[in-house]
Amino acid sequence: MAEQKRPHNPNDSSFNLDEDGADGGDKDTTLDRIKTGAFERNVALTRMGVGAGAKIASHTMRNFFRRGESKDEANRNFYRAQAKELADELGRLKGSVMKAGQMLSLYGQYFLPEEAVEVLASLQDNTPAVSWAFVEPQLIDALGEKTVSKLEINRKPIAAASLGQAHLGTIKATGEQVVVKIQYPGVASAIDTDIRTLSRLISATRLAPKALDLSGVFNELRAMLERECDYVQEKAFTETFGERLLGDERFIVPKVYPEFCAKRVLTTRYEPGFSVSSKQVQALSQSRRNALAKSFAELFVTEFFDWQLVQTDPHFGNYRIRIDPQGEHDQIVTLDFGATRTFDSSFVESYGQIVRGSLQFNRKEIAQAVIEIGLMNPDTPPSVLEGFGDLTELIVEPFRKPFDSNVPDRLYTPGGAYRFGDTDLPARVGQTAALKMMSKHFKIPPQEIIFLHRRIGGVLVTLKTLRAELKLHELLKPHLGLN
């Protein structure tokens, strides 16, 4: 296939990022292939498990002679080293086992050491690309040589991730610039084996408490991976978001080209833009950054409360900023809908009750909704429910009315907007959670909560990155019946 030069666009500071956001276009290292066979993947991880067992025995013996802070520090270093070794091996294997490791970091905050969560979460930042010779057969097998011949494709990927990589291309007949997302061969068929192996490996490395049953977590990981490997479903979600945002000029959803799509291949229009954290976006005026931030927040609220359909992967690579040269209509390019989830009306209603109860300091409403949603049981002690109320009432701080006495004065502008750039809310939430939520009655949240909070956290990080100053209370009023 012919090499195609990347088109110049003055509004394009970087390539569109795919899946996990790792930019494969600038990687120095390229893998010739990935281990796709169950046997060779098992051998690699089993070898690591054996080595982990020996290190655990050695660490336990050395720690026997340590005391106090010295022992705690040794434990932290040990967990960090074990997790780093696990992450390195998952990164080399790529595929579903690496994606499962990333997803595990979301669940892991509830049962893994903090050091392990940090390392697993970093998996998305180091993903080498795979050679064109390895992925081209997958593309031809999916679309057929005749269809593939209608495209000019650059053999160097513009983005590489755990499940696949993306290549820039051109439709020969029209000259349209496209991004061809190709899933790595064997990824989907390896999911069951990878999940079982990762489960055993987490146990072997002693990263999770020995008595904790994680079968439910790994079952959920398996189901999520199967969804993310289904590009037909992702194509449908991309088209759905495109239709629903068609009349909203604030957003751009890439056009899908069905002729060049299949279960393991997805082709969409190339939509350039700047990263939210880029110097170009950071240099925008306060009013323009506020407008972008408000659009981000409104999109999430609309997805959850109105559509009950949420793109749950908030990585910066999935959202690009199209800067208007005239300075009036900056736009948000939304990418990658593989992690889109639907939510039941009952879940949305119960979650809304938690938010409403937290804003109105109604502990009874919070407790009722927490039990309904599956975070706690009916026999949960009142003290634990009270602790959860303390936490949620703090989390909704940016959504309170202007000049609320429960919000530090320094976080309001003279006009009553919340200063996201100056907030230390994440640190205060973490401290409160550590004090209030250490209880056997608090369960690992259901996957709906995990992935919803993933997106909410992403929205808040985006608003902080934009240094936004917003009044968000009005945004929730029509959905929660607030005054």
Side-chain angles (χ1 to χ4, degrees), residues 350 353-354 364-381 385 388 443:
S350 295
Q353 286 179 349
I354 295 176
K364 184 177 180 181
E365 184 172 21
I366 296 173
Q368 178 184 345
V370 164
I371 293 170
E372 287 178 356
I373 217 165
L375 276 174
M376 296 185 191
N377 296 318
D379 60 352
T380 299
L385 291 171
F388 186 80
K443 302 185 297 183

Side-chain angles (χ1 to χ4, degrees), residues 9-309:
N9 188 310
N11 205 22
D12 179 18
S13 62
S14 62
F15 293 109
N16 285 352
L17 299 184
D18 175 55
E19 287 184 317
D20 312 296
D23 186 345
D26 298 321
K27 295 285 182 189
D28 294 327
T29 57
T30 300
L31 302 175
D32 291 331
R33 61 184 294 273
I34 59 175
K35 298 173 182 177
T36 57
F39 177 76
E40 60 181 346
R41 293 171 78 81
N42 263 324
V43 167
L45 291 174
T46 300
R47 186 186 301 120
M48 188 195 153
V50 172
K55 291 174 184 174
I56 289 168
S58 175
H59 169 73
T60 302
M61 180 62 70
R62 289 196 302 270
N63 234 19
F64 181 78
F65 299 99
R66 296 188 178 107
R67 294 289 183 272
E69 291 184 9
S70 175
K71 178 177 285 190
D72 291 340
E73 180 63 23
N75 277 331
R76 285 194 292 271
N77 290 335
F78 172 74
Y79 289 136
R80 188 177 291 110
Q82 289 283 78
K84 179 66 166 60
E85 187 171 347
L86 173 61
D88 287 346
E89 186 59 45
L90 298 185
R92 284 188 288 270
L93 291 173
K94 296 174 80 78
S96 61
V97 74
M98 178 181 169
K99 187 72 174 182
Q102 294 169 16
M103 290 179 173
L104 188 61
S105 70
L106 301 174
Y107 285 91
Q109 60 186 304
Y110 300 99
F111 58 82
L112 292 178
E114 181 181 351
E115 295 77 14
V117 174
E118 272 180 36
V119 174
L120 289 173
S122 73
L123 269 169
Q124 62 187 23
D125 297 325
N126 185 23
T127 313
V130 174
S131 70
W132 176 249
F134 185 71
V135 298
E136 184 183 25
Q138 176 89 331
L139 176 65
I140 293 174
D141 183 61
L143 300 181
E145 288 191 18
K146 182 177 180 181
T147 299
V148 173
S149 69
K150 298 178 181 180
L151 298 170
E152 295 258 0
I153 300 180
N154 191 329
R155 298 184 179 189
K156 183 178 181 181
I158 60 172
S162 54
L163 302 180
Q165 60 192 41
H167 293 256
L168 196 64
T170 304
I171 300 176
K172 295 177 181 178
T174 64
E176 293 172 273
Q177 302 294 325
V178 297
V179 174
V180 184
K181 180 176 172 181
I182 310 168
Q183 191 173 118
Y184 295 129
V187 164
S189 60
I191 290 175
D192 279 341
T193 300
D194 282 350
I195 290 294
R196 285 196 300 270
T197 305
L198 182 61
S199 175
R200 291 196 298 269
L201 203 53
I202 291 295
S203 176
T205 52
R206 298 277 182 89
L207 289 175
K210 192 173 182 180
L212 186 62
D213 180 9
L214 295 179
S215 58
V217 169
F218 283 104
N219 286 336
E220 290 180 0
L221 289 179
R222 180 184 293 105
M224 286 182 283
L225 284 168
E226 289 171 350
R227 282 197 298 271
E228 292 210 26
C229 282
D230 186 353
Y231 287 1
V232 172
Q233 177 177 268
E234 182 177 344
K235 168 182 173 290
F237 281 137
T238 305
E239 291 172 330
T240 296
F241 271 76
E243 291 167 2
R244 294 187 179 182
L245 291 173
L246 185 60
D248 194 331
E249 295 184 355
R250 297 174 300 171
F251 302 99
I252 299 171
V253 179
K255 173 186 174 182
V256 174
Y257 295 85
E259 181 182 3
F260 304 108
C261 293
K263 192 169 181 63
R264 310 297 179 215
V265 176
L266 179 65
T267 301
T268 57
R269 180 167 15 204
Y270 174 65
E271 295 288 0
F274 292 108
S275 167
V276 173
S277 59
S278 69
K279 62 181 181 181
Q280 290 86 351
V281 173
Q282 294 298 305
L284 295 175
S285 67
Q286 184 69 58
S287 62
R288 291 174 72 175
R289 284 183 282 112
N290 284 348
L292 287 168
K294 186 178 180 183
S295 295
F296 270 107
E298 287 184 356
L299 177 60
F300 165 69
V301 169
T302 298
E303 288 178 32
F304 184 62
F305 287 106
D306 292 342
W307 302 348
Q308 297 172 16
L309 182 71

